[in-house]
């Protein structure tokens, strides 16, 4: 099993550009999450999904959009990139909603210049 | 949103020393998870604690959940360079789909 796969690993954007961060998992997990990690700030939840066709906002959703058309894929869209979106982005998934283990991808390092 | 406070923020120790890091909240935890994150990688789950007073051991790592379920600690015995990383606690909210993470403790074990 590949687990949670994120692409790309690194990306540099110019202010105002758009891009999509890809995330796919092969574990048939219903619950998927997008976090961003800034230095010294831990992980902050951007969006999450509890199943195909269902998404909801997390703590810091402004400037981002998501979709969940299949169980496997949960892409994160950045529209009009801003320097404040420079961060490391992690996608994660888990089987159930409570004490289940959260599986993380290896992250996408994004710089907006 | 429940705030998780982790301390210390940074810790640098010599190989073979013991250490304890802490995770605290002003509210009662439903349950708590500890993760370790190595540079360039995503966090990896170490343990989940659910019951107040619970103690779990994972080789040289001992995890304790406070009796009142408002705090947790991670103790490492005889630290090794392989223990270097960012240690994160995460609260699993009751009835919630979300996990809330603390800011982490960055541990460096010097050979």
């Amino acid at each position: 099993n590949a687990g949670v796969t994120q692409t790309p690993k690194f990306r540099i954007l110019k202010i105002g550009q758009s891009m999509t961060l890809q995330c796919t998992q092969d574990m048939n997990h219903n619950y998927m999450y997008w976090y961003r990690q800034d230095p010294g700030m831990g992980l902050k939840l951007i969006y999450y999904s509890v199943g195909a066709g269902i998404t909801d906002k997390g703590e810091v959703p402004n400037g981002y959009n998501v979709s969940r058309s299949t169980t496997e894929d949960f892409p994160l869209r950045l529209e009009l990139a801003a320097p404040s979106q420079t961060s490391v982005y992690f996608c994660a998934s888990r089987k159930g909603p409570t004490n289940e283990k959260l599986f993380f991808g290896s992250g996408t390092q994004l710089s907006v210049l | 949103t429940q705030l998780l406070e982790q301390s210390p923020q940074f810790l640098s120790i010599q190989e073979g020393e013991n250490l304890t890091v802490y995770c605290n909240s002003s509210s009662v935890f439903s349950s708590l998870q500890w993760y370790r994150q190595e540079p360039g990688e995503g966090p990896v789950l170490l343990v989940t604690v659910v019951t107040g007073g619970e103690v779990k051991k994972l080789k040289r790592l001992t995890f304790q959940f406070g009796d009142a379920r408002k705090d947790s600690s991670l103790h490492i015995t005889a630290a090794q360079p392989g223990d270097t990383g960012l240690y994160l606690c995460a609260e699993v909210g009751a009835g919630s789909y979300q996990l809330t993470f603390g800011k982490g403790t960055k541990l460096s074990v010097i050979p």
Side-chain angles (χ1 to χ4, degrees), chain A residues 9 31 33 35 37 40-43 45 48 50 57-59 90 94 97-107, chain B residues 1 9 30-31 33 35 37 40-45 48 50 86 88 92-93 96-104:
Chain A
K9 287 194 70 68
Y31 298 83
Y33 304 81
Y35 287 91
Q37 186 174 37
M41 296 301 293
L43 290 156
L45 182 64
Y48 67 99
V50 301
K57 296 178 180 179
E59 184 181 358
F90 287 99
R94 61 177 176 171
T98 53
N99 296 328
E100 294 282 345
K101 175 181 178 180
L102 197 59
F103 291 81
F104 282 86
S106 58
Chain B
T1 303
Q9 188 175 358
S30 171
S31 61
Q33 294 181 330
Y35 290 79
Q37 183 179 18
E41 298 294 329
V44 175
L45 179 68
T48 301
V50 179
L86 180 67
L88 296 158
V92 184
S96 170
Y97 304 117
Q98 301 184 30
L99 277 80
T100 302
F101 283 83
K103 294 182 179 181

Side-chain angles (χ1 to χ4, degrees), chain A residues 3-11 19-25 32-34 65-70 72-78 89-92 104-109:
Chain A
V4 179
T5 303
Q6 289 183 239
T7 56
K9 287 194 70 68
F10 304 94
R11 185 71 186 268
M19 77 163 293
T20 299
L21 280 65
Q22 302 292 344
C23 175
T24 187
Q25 52 91 9
M32 295 189 74
Y33 304 81
W34 274 105
N65 277 300
V66 294
S67 60
R68 185 93 183 272
S69 57
T70 67
E72 294 78 19
D73 300 308
F74 190 40
L76 177 71
R77 178 81 177 164
L78 278 72
Y89 291 84
F90 287 99
C91 179
F104 282 86
S106 58
T108 295
Q109 187 168 331

Side-chain angles (χ1 to χ4, degrees), chain B:
Chain B
T1 303
Q2 180 160 304
L3 293 177
L4 303 184
E5 294 188 4
Q6 291 192 245
S7 60
Q9 188 175 358
F10 300 98
L11 189 56
S12 181
I13 62 170
Q14 295 289 330
E15 181 177 358
E17 292 183 348
N18 301 331
L19 66 112
T20 302
V21 299
Y22 302 91
C23 177
N24 297 286
S25 172
S26 56
S27 305
V28 173
F29 292 119
S30 171
S31 61
L32 192 81
Q33 294 181 330
W34 283 94
Y35 290 79
R36 178 168 66 206
Q37 183 179 18
E38 299 184 8
E41 298 294 329
V44 175
L45 179 68
L46 296 173
V47 77
T48 301
V49 287
V50 179
T51 306
E54 184 175 8
V55 177
K56 285 191 173 181
K57 292 192 175 185
L58 184 65
K59 296 183 180 178
R60 293 176 293 99
L61 278 61
T62 302
F63 303 85
Q64 188 158 1
F65 203 16
D67 291 340
R69 290 163 54 211
K70 295 176 70 172
D71 58 273
S72 180
S73 64
L74 159 58
H75 181 80
I76 300 179
T77 303
Q80 298 179 1
D83 296 326
T84 293
L86 180 67
Y87 288 82
L88 296 158
C89 64
E91 194 253 347
V92 184
S96 170
Y97 304 117
Q98 301 184 30
L99 277 80
T100 302
F101 283 83
K103 294 182 179 181
T105 293
K106 189 171 184 179
L107 172 65
S108 296
V109 181
I110 303 165

